[in-house]
Amino acid sequence: MTELQLRAKLKIPPSARRVILFGESSHWDTNWLQTSEEYFTSRIEPIFEQVLGALERDPHRVYCVESLFFFKLFWERHPAAQPRLRALLANRQLRMLASSFTTPDTLLPHHETILRDFQLGHAWLRDHGLPDDPGLAYFPDNFGHSPHLPSLMKAVGVRSVGLTRIDGMYFVGADYRPGAEFPRPGSTAALLEQELRTHDFIWRDDDGAEVLCHWNAFTYFHGDMLAHKGIIRWAGKVFALPWRTRRHIAARIDGYVEQLAPFARTPYLFCPIGMDFNDPIVELPQLLHRYNEEHFARTGTWTVLAGLDDYFSLLEFHRAQLPVLAADPNPYWMGFCATRPEVKQRPTRIARTLLMAEKLSAFQAPHAPLEAALREGWSRLVLSNHHDYIPGTSPDRVWEAEQRPWLDAAELAADQALALASPGVSATEPSGGSVQVRRSGDEIEVQTATYRFTLSLERGACFTSLVSDGAPLLNGLGFDLVAFHDEGGLWRLGHEYSGGRFAEVDRASRREAHVQISDVKGEVSFEISSELDGLPFVRTITVDPGHRFFRLRCDGVAGSRRTATCRFDVALDPKTLEMDTVGGVIDRPRERHNSPTFWAVPSRLTLRDKGQSLFALFESPTAASLSPTGALEWIVARNALKERAFGILPVMAHPIGGSNRDRQVHEAALMPSGLVDAPHLAHARRQLSRAWLAPELRGASHAAEAIVRCDAPGVTIAAVKRAESGEGVIVRLFCEQLPEKPIRVTVEGLVVTQASVCDALERELRVLEVEPLGQVVLPLEQRLTSLRLS
């Protein structure tokens, strides 16, 4: 279809110099302020009835659903409505903005969980004979995005992405700073608005994956007040008066055009209508039609109600006019990266358990109870991806009433699946070597073959020295606990907004600590009991002489409005920080927008300076920083309440608070080393992932890793699973750096006869060469690659 043909299909006249497309939807949080059941009864059912009626009355009206969760519930609970839904989807009046069950956060979940979100949604649509390939994804309310979002989207066949919240942008009601202070200097928002002058761009990450992208710079509910005069429409409540006069509607549309046009490199503007759980605008097409009849001749602007997919299709004709950039739209906010640590730790662990069970059973005969447990585990787990679930930004009631029980159910299913997949797999023995421990006065000296450190009991049993390869790595203390008074809440730390406060109030190193030393099969642990801000904390250092790393565990309860960090005053002074992301690896500045800057880190942060490296490794997603003075720290406990400014003022955009009075446990490790190449780092991380498992699971992990092998040490076998669409076994590969030569993949004890590349939705892309002995030859072109093996 040519551009003119598409315009004709959308009833846009050829003479229109400018077109503003209104995309109507409604943002449906899975369970934010209410549980999903409460939302379904109070808002989803009434909205669906209004939408179905409006679409059936007007065959030219279009409405979009951003994700599958509530659509699936409505489909299952209203079977009489299924023919209506099917017909509206078939004629494209009703459209899906993504095939995923949630609008997933992309900074915190395990990358495989995000891929399964899209794969399970696609499979459900396919199995019900519904349109299953929208080719786009919509992230209207995410608090930042993985810089490798293009790679994640390419893996699931998504070509276009709409998003809203990026670093440095102004968001109404979120800050007492005036709007004139935004976008923040050096931010992605400033780059797009002040330098590139565009809200449309091609996002390309470092392995070449691309998505066509639109940024809703004026929020995802920019057009919601088109037919009202007042403050806001939100969740079925209207703090405004209906106002549908010709003058008002024209003024609104002209105002939207005035805001959007300076940032459009094409004739097309996009105005989203989609505030949380809002009703559709009554007779919206008629209001737009009236504007066209009365004002098009004057303005040259044509209005149309369409889908976001239509907007991207029109942009494609002008793709060459759009800038190409590698975006890292972070940090948008930082506090949520450490809010409710349980809701970040458990999904990561559950994903690992499910992946282990799949690997162990993929080449075995199907076993119905095992397959049922895997389906239940993944179906429950993908819901935790939602951008108000895994960030921990729901109130206590919703977390306790629904989100935590969903994790309980996912964990139970995952444990059942692993038990069925790994009967009789024995645990591996600890590695060899010895740890030398010497106590002198108030100091404890520890040495292995690769590093040595000293603890001072008088200074809270903190490290006073850490040496590796003859080089000192500390400028001060290490493994100190630091308590901050934090005026922030579920979303932000106190120093992220005007009037907030984030100030140090105590350190564990200020008082003496007690240390208990134990030795279990050569693995030596140092359990440190101390006090922080009047509350007890236990820190544990675990040293295995056969590993280049030592493990660090922090265990305690944060006081009200307190955030606790683990701090190492390091001697290294890197210009940038290398860290992994969901879907890749990136170099980031030490600080951006805030001091300190706590970055969302899934599992690794690396400091490199003058031939030395220090790897901070994390068992689950965390928030980590390196200050200008060399304080490497990560958040280990947080008890965030409701955000407030200047000690008393509420923050309008963040009307709720929460708490985390529970005991919080944080697992990390440090690996001091010289320059370590990718294969050795990958090996160490595999050792560490096993060390963090319960002892009875380590043997199963080792056995799972041996089933499918790759001859490139830096390439990880991320998943091995029975195909759900078609025959064979799906193997997912992941690497931080693409190998220069083709790799070879083999299956232990089996000969592969056929192989192909597919996407994460299990759709075939191309056939691969298989060598006579069953080795699959693959030129690896992207970090995330899926194979189908027979």
Side-chain angles (χ1 to χ4, degrees):
M1 191 180 296
T2 66
E3 183 176 6
L4 284 176
Q5 288 171 328
L6 180 55
R7 285 171 70 117
K9 182 180 178 182
L10 295 172
K11 301 189 179 345
I12 301 169
S15 59
R17 292 184 292 105
R18 180 176 289 124
V19 180
I20 180 168
L21 286 85
F22 288 88
E24 189 178 32
S25 64
S26 179
H27 180 50
W28 295 344
D29 290 307
T30 308
N31 41 18
W32 174 37
L33 298 183
Q34 298 182 32
T35 67
S36 63
E37 291 295 335
E38 291 166 342
Y39 273 139
F40 185 78
T41 302
S42 66
R43 297 303 307 140
I44 298 300
E45 289 179 308
I47 291 172
F48 259 117
E49 287 305 322
Q50 292 181 60
V51 167
L52 293 178
L55 296 180
E56 289 168 340
R57 285 190 299 272
D58 185 346
H60 301 297
R61 185 160 188 168
V62 174
Y63 190 89
C64 298
V65 178
E66 67 182 22
S67 58
L68 264 179
F69 176 77
F70 281 120
F71 179 89
K72 177 176 180 288
L73 278 189
F74 189 82
W75 175 276
E76 293 171 343
R77 297 180 184 184
H78 293 269
Q82 290 177 13
R84 301 169 70 193
L85 292 166
R86 190 182 296 278
L88 291 169
L89 283 164
N91 66 20
R92 304 194 74 245
Q93 283 185 265
L94 190 63
R95 304 184 196 178
M96 302 304 303
L97 289 174
S99 64
S100 54
F101 277 104
T102 72
T103 50
D105 175 84
T106 60
L107 294 169
L108 300 170
H110 192 289
H111 71 261
E112 189 66 26
T113 313
I114 296 174
L115 302 185
R116 298 301 175 96
D117 202 343
F118 283 84
Q119 183 257 318
L120 291 174
H122 168 80
W124 187 87
L125 289 167
R126 180 200 63 217
D127 292 346
H128 288 79
L130 302 175
D132 60 12
D133 184 22
L136 71 156
Y138 194 44
F139 302 96
D141 201 24
N142 291 38
F143 318 137
H145 307 270
S146 169
H148 292 94
L149 187 67
S151 286
L152 292 169
M153 295 298 97
K154 184 177 181 179
V156 294
V158 167
R159 301 174 293 279
S160 306
V161 167
L163 49 84
T164 301
R165 297 181 187 268
I166 63 174
D167 66 300
M169 72 175 288
Y170 175 74
F171 201 92
V172 60
D175 206 306
Y176 284 95
R177 283 176 287 196
E181 293 190 23
F182 296 85
R184 301 280 299 278
S187 67
T188 306
L191 171 67
L192 290 172
E193 289 203 327
Q194 296 177 342
E195 295 184 39
L196 300 175
R197 305 290 290 175
T198 184
H199 291 160
D200 304 306
F201 58 97
I202 297 165
W203 187 349
R204 179 189 295 164
D205 68 18
D206 56 355
D207 81 346
E210 289 184 356
V211 286
L212 180 60
C213 199
H214 174 74
W215 169 38
N216 296 322
F218 300 102
T219 74
Y220 58 90
F221 46 93
H222 189 191
D224 273 65
M225 297 296 286
L226 173 69
H228 286 77
K229 182 178 286 189
I231 301 173
I232 197 172
R233 297 192 303 132
W234 176 70
K237 302 177 181 65
V238 180
F239 302 94
L241 295 174
W243 213 266
R244 303 167 63 84
T245 66
R246 286 171 162 78
R247 182 175 179 179
H248 173 77
I249 299 298
R252 280 276 196 247
I253 292 173
D254 290 343
Y256 299 146
V257 171
E258 184 179 358
Q259 289 176 303
L260 294 168
F263 308 105
R265 294 192 174 198
T266 77
Y268 306 107
L269 313 175
F270 184 72
C271 184
I273 298 171
M275 184 47 147
D276 303 10
F277 297 99
N278 269 351
D279 298 320
I281 296 176
V282 175
E283 296 184 346
L284 175 58
Q286 289 84 336
L287 298 178
L288 302 183
H289 179 67
R290 187 175 71 188
Y291 177 91
N292 290 337
E293 282 191 331
E294 297 177 357
H295 298 281
F296 173 60
R298 170 181 63 86
T299 64
T301 296
W302 188 265
T303 70
V304 62
L305 181 61
L308 182 58
D309 56 338
D310 293 318
Y311 180 72
F312 283 126
S313 294
L314 290 165
L315 282 187
E316 282 286 359
F317 295 109
H318 301 266
R319 193 179 182 98
Q321 297 169 237
L322 302 179
V324 179
L325 62 144
D328 182 15
N330 304 290
Y332 181 73
W333 294 327
M334 302 186 299
F336 75 92
C337 300
T339 297
R340 286 199 215 285
E342 180 183 345
V343 80
K344 297 153 183 59
Q345 295 165 353
R346 289 182 69 193
T348 302
R349 294 166 187 164
I350 294 167
R352 290 178 185 142
T353 302
L354 289 167
L355 288 167
M356 201 185 312
E358 285 181 333
K359 286 181 178 180
L360 290 167
S361 62
F363 293 97
Q364 305 300 321
H367 182 46
L370 169 59
E371 303 304 318
L374 288 171
R375 281 194 301 273
E376 171 68 9
W378 283 118
S379 297
R380 290 281 188 176
L381 181 60
V382 298
L383 302 181
S384 69
N385 291 338
H386 186 263
H387 65 268
D388 275 311
Y389 188 159
I390 196 166
T393 48
S394 295
D396 295 350
R397 183 185 69 85
V398 174
W399 160 241
E400 292 161 1
E402 187 169 79
Q403 292 177 347
R404 180 182 267 160
W406 281 3
L407 287 180
D408 291 341
E411 189 168 41
L412 176 62
D415 290 343
Q416 289 173 340
L418 185 57
L420 291 168
S422 59
V425 178
S426 60
T428 54
E429 291 298 319
S431 54
S434 63
V435 181
Q436 298 177 30
V437 180
R438 188 171 67 88
R439 193 159 186 165
S440 175
D442 79 324
E443 291 190 334
I444 300 173
E445 297 178 3
V446 181
Q447 184 164 354
T448 73
T450 55
Y451 58 81
R452 68 177 188 272
F453 61 79
T454 302
L455 307 177
S456 168
L457 301 182
E458 186 180 19
R459 306 201 65 182
C462 294
F463 285 60
T464 54
S465 73
L466 173 60
V467 177
S468 175
D469 297 325
L473 296 175
L474 292 182
N475 264 340
L477 299 180
F479 206 27
D480 200 357
L481 289 182
V482 183
F484 294 86
H485 177 86
D486 186 356
E487 290 283 277
L490 299 177
W491 288 272
R492 296 184 290 187
L493 299 173
H495 64 300
E496 295 187 61
Y497 56 94
S498 178
R501 181 186 172 209
F502 187 75
E504 182 180 319
V505 293
D506 194 23
R507 296 189 188 194
S509 57
R510 292 178 181 172
R511 56 196 66 86
E512 191 172 350
H514 173 72
V515 178
Q516 182 175 337
I517 304 173
S518 60
D519 187 332
V520 179
K521 295 183 179 180
E523 189 177 78
V524 181
S525 293
F526 305 84
E527 185 178 280
I528 304 165
S529 300
S530 60
E531 184 181 292
L532 179 69
D533 195 32
L535 293 171
F537 266 81
V538 176
R539 287 165 288 154
T540 305
I541 307 165
T542 302
V543 178
D544 185 319
H547 297 159
R548 293 190 65 93
F549 53 81
F550 50 87
R551 307 201 309 269
L552 304 167
R553 176 186 173 103
C554 296
D555 185 337
V557 177
S560 179
R561 292 200 180 276
R562 291 293 189 268
T563 290
T565 68
C566 172
R567 178 181 291 177
F568 281 80
D569 294 314
V570 298
L572 302 183
D573 189 25
K575 291 183 171 58
T576 60
L577 304 177
E578 179 185 295
M579 62 188 76
D580 68 340
T581 67
V582 178
V585 64
I586 192 171
D587 283 323
R588 281 171 162 156
R590 288 164 65 157
E591 294 196 334
R592 181 185 287 170
H593 312 320
N594 301 287
S595 184
T597 296
F598 283 92
W599 295 99
V601 182
S603 67
R604 173 173 72 87
L605 173 66
T606 304
L607 282 58
R608 301 186 194 271
D609 182 39
K610 299 173 184 174
Q612 286 292 315
S613 299
L614 182 62
F615 298 89
L617 306 165
F618 305 104
E619 186 261 350
S620 54
T622 195
S625 71
L626 180 65
S627 74
T629 59
L632 170 65
E633 54 191 325
W634 51 88
I635 297 175
V636 296
R638 188 161 191 259
N639 192 355
L641 304 181
K642 189 175 180 179
E643 286 183 13
R644 65 186 183 189
F646 308 105
I648 55 170
L649 294 181
V651 179
M652 291 181 291
H654 300 152
I656 65 159
S659 64
N660 201 145
R661 298 177 293 272
D662 301 339
R663 168 176 165 261
Q664 299 175 43
V665 179
H666 189 281
E667 300 273 8
L670 282 188
M671 187 167 76
S673 177
L675 295 176
V676 173
D677 58 17
H680 287 92
L681 175 59
H683 175 68
R685 293 175 77 179
R686 284 193 293 269
Q687 286 182 316
L688 181 56
S689 66
R690 278 199 295 274
W692 274 325
L693 289 172
E696 64 271 17
L697 298 181
R698 293 174 186 172
S701 174
H702 187 76
E705 286 178 11
I707 292 171
V708 178
R709 295 188 179 275
C710 171
D711 66 351
V715 178
T716 300
I717 309 297
V720 181
K721 62 184 288 286
R722 199 184 320 280
E724 295 184 40
S725 175
E727 300 297 322
V729 169
I730 303 299
V731 174
R732 191 117 55 234
L733 308 176
F734 174 76
C735 61
E736 291 189 351
Q737 295 180 342
L738 293 175
E740 295 179 0
K741 299 178 180 179
I743 66 170
R744 283 168 171 76
V745 177
T746 57
V747 179
E748 182 70 21
L750 295 173
V751 176
V752 177
T753 56
Q754 292 180 315
S756 60
V757 175
C758 60
D759 63 15
L761 307 185
E762 303 186 13
R763 299 178 299 189
E764 297 298 305
L765 299 178
R766 67 181 187 275
V767 175
L768 291 172
E769 175 192 352
V770 180
E771 294 181 337
L773 295 179
Q775 289 187 320
V776 179
V777 182
L778 173 65
L780 208 57
E781 299 173 350
Q782 56 196 62
R783 285 204 170 107
L784 278 166
T785 302
S786 299
L787 307 179
R788 184 190 300 273
L789 307 182
S790 299

